Amino acid sequence: ILGVRDIHADHAASHIGKAQGIVTCLRATPYHSTRQKVFLPMDICMLHGVSQEDFIRGKQEKNVRDVVYDIASQAHMHLEHVR
């Protein structure tokens, strides 16, 4: 954008884009869950003992919140990397 040619700017933009994508996925989870779809990483869900069905049913137990927290932490790590 704007003709900026800098490897550091490209690197920062890459991490910002990853963080934005993760946050967008998290924000869209309730919408997708109502349509019987879950697009969250299953390895993180399995780590906390959460199934796709837990999201589809709208459960809000601690382990479901832990999944959301871990995924949001990934976005935060990308933003910290940019800083």
Side-chain angles (χ1 to χ4, degrees):
I1 296 178
L2 303 174
V4 175
R5 300 212 188 287
D6 179 24
I7 189 80
H8 300 295
D10 289 346
H11 190 74
S14 172
H15 282 288
I16 290 170
K18 290 173 187 172
Q20 183 179 14
I22 292 168
V23 170
T24 299
C25 184
L26 280 175
R27 289 183 64 212
T29 297
Y31 170 82
H32 291 299
S33 294
T34 62
R35 284 151 180 81
Q36 313 296 305
K37 304 240 188 256
V38 178
F39 296 107
L40 300 177
M42 283 295 106
D43 57 335
I44 295 175
C45 292
M46 290 187 328
L47 181 69
H48 293 284
V50 175
S51 68
Q52 289 182 342
E53 194 67 29
D54 293 330
F55 284 99
I56 291 169
R57 291 184 180 168
K59 291 188 176 180
Q60 295 186 9
E61 279 107 25
K62 183 182 181 324
N63 59 342
V64 173
R65 291 191 313 266
D66 288 343
V67 168
V68 173
Y69 180 84
D70 281 359
I71 295 170
S73 294
Q74 293 291 321
H76 185 265
M77 284 185 351
H78 283 292
L79 292 179
E80 285 298 314
H81 201 78
V82 170
R83 289 186 186 125

